[in-house]
Structures are given as structure tokens and as C-alpha cells.
Amino acid sequence: MSTVQKITAAIIQQGMLPLYYNEDENVTIEVLRAIYRGGIKAVEYTSRGEAALQNFIKMIEVRNAEMPDLLLGIGTIKNVQQAAAYYNVGADFFISPGFVPEVASFLISKGALYSPGCMTPTEIIAAENAGVTFIKLFPGNMLGPDYLSSIKDIFPKLVFMPTGGVDTTHENIEAWFKAGVSAVGMGSKLISKKLMADKAYATIESETKKVLDLVQSVRTNL
């Protein structure tokens, strides 16, 4: 099994990919520990601020020392320079808000998992033809489960994960899985700026566990 297949399988098994960013290194690390305690084995950190790369390097260090079974991915990758910087420090997978052909070419040549954000069938086809197998539907709240239901049959070999506005409710998660997603990306609906500002790590842990349980329950009853 290739690295891409292993990481894809881990995210699918988890069924939910949490994503977050915080400027503060300590908050970043404590959130990481909290979601890991909640049951997370794969997480996306987003490259959305000046401190992102240094924080990510620290996350790798803490992961290696405390959570060796955790996969650390990087999101908001928009160019090859970013992709190379995070590849060189050991990112396990890479996610973009849009499809960037040169990033796809670079990462696929390295045998790394690259999941680009796509909205239209044209973008999904371009990504698939470039060798991408894992599509991030973005923004999820603009597209909705019905959109995926209507295009899924065209792309039988692709894995889909909506991100952006996916809610933590049973109804929303069930609708997405019924539409054919393999996982859901969860950002501020799970790890909000307020929870991070309040350093409410126990709440982040319990909410993470709750959503993981909800995803498993939904999938069992489909």
C-alpha cells in the first residue's frame, strides 16, 4: 500500500478531519493534544499566518515525542514554495483551497497525498487528470450534499471530503454521508476561535469525541 493510500485510508476511517490555526504556539500545541485525546489520528493545520511554519515544526516535534501514530497535514497550500517548505519539515499530507496544478505535480512526484479544493466538475476533472485521488469540496456550505449527489457517479474512483460550513449536527453530517462523502472537514464549527481564546481544551476534547462518535453512528446506520 502506498503512502497516499495509507493516509487516505486513515482519514476515511476517522471520517472527520479537524482543521485549525492559531498564532500562539502554546495554544496550537494544547489544541493538538486535546483533539488527540479526543480520538483524532489525522489533523490539518492551516497555513494562514506568519507563525504557521514555525508552529508546524513544533507540532511535528511534539507529535514525534508524544503521539507517534498521529498524521499531521498542512492546509491552505497555494504555491510550490509553501508545499516544498512543509514537505521538507515532514508534513504527512497537503490540502489546498483550490486546485494548483504545479503543486499537484510537485507533491505527486514525491508520492505525497495532495487534496485540492474544487467546486466545479471542470476543476475536479483537471485534478483527477493530474493524478489527484482525494478531492476537498470547498466551500461545502455553498455546494451542499445535493451537489455531490448529482456529480458523484461521474467520479467513481475519487474520494470526496467537504470542508467549510460543515456543521456538527446529526442532520448535516448524515446528509453529507448519504450524498457519498468519505469524510467531512471540520474547522471553526468544531475548534472555534472562542474556544481557543478561552483555552477551553477540555471542551475541545469532548466535542471532538462527540463528533467522532456521531460520524461513526451515522455511517453505521446508513
Side-chain angles (χ1 to χ4, degrees):
M1 192 185 280
S2 71
T3 301
V4 169
Q5 288 170 322
K6 281 181 192 165
I7 294 170
T8 300
I11 295 171
I12 290 172
Q13 184 180 359
Q14 186 166 283
M16 182 270 285
L17 186 69
L19 56 127
Y20 73 101
Y21 173 73
N22 196 285
E23 284 286 335
D24 187 290
E25 182 186 284
N26 289 330
V27 173
T28 291
I29 297 303
E30 290 307 322
V31 170
L32 187 67
R33 287 177 173 136
I35 60 174
Y36 183 74
R37 288 193 304 268
I40 291 299
K41 295 292 189 285
V43 58
E44 173 192 342
Y45 193 65
T46 57
S47 182
R48 291 188 184 174
E50 294 296 318
L53 182 58
Q54 284 309 310
N55 285 355
F56 193 79
I57 290 169
K58 183 66 178 178
M59 291 169 81
I60 294 272
E61 183 187 313
V62 171
R63 185 276 306 273
N64 291 348
E66 300 176 23
M67 332 166 192
D69 57 340
L70 179 68
L71 295 168
L72 278 179
I74 188 69
T76 324
I77 295 296
K78 295 185 280 188
N79 56 59
V80 174
Q81 291 77 13
Q82 275 183 310
Y86 284 98
Y87 179 82
N88 290 336
V89 299
D92 291 310
F93 58 93
F94 302 78
I95 298 180
S96 291
F99 173 55
V100 190
E102 54 272 32
V103 170
S105 177
F106 170 75
L107 291 171
I108 290 168
S109 75
K110 301 283 190 186
L113 174 63
Y114 173 55
S115 177
C118 296
M119 278 187 86
T120 67
T122 301
E123 291 168 345
I124 298 168
I125 290 167
E128 184 176 40
N129 287 343
V132 168
T133 55
F134 194 120
I135 300 291
K136 164 180 159 174
L137 282 180
F138 181 77
N141 57 332
M142 297 286 289
L143 297 167
D146 288 346
Y147 174 75
L148 179 60
S149 292
S150 64
I151 65 159
K152 182 104 173 32
D153 288 349
I154 310 167
F155 304 105
K157 294 180 180 175
L158 297 182
V159 171
F160 288 95
M161 177 183 75
T163 302
V166 177
D167 220 324
T168 56
T169 64
H170 185 281
E171 293 74 21
N172 191 252
I173 290 172
E174 183 180 57
W176 278 114
F177 278 96
K178 277 185 173 171
V181 303
S182 295
V184 289
M186 286 254 179
S188 58
K189 300 278 186 178
L190 178 67
I191 307 168
S192 68
K193 286 182 180 175
K194 184 173 188 330
L195 286 175
M196 288 192 282
D198 292 346
K199 297 183 168 59
Y201 305 124
T203 303
I204 292 171
E205 178 185 343
S206 63
E207 287 300 307
T208 299
K209 186 174 188 317
K210 197 183 296 178
V211 173
L212 284 174
D213 289 345
L214 180 56
V215 166
Q216 299 308 335
S217 166
V218 163
R219 291 205 293 200
T220 302
N221 294 309
L222 277 184

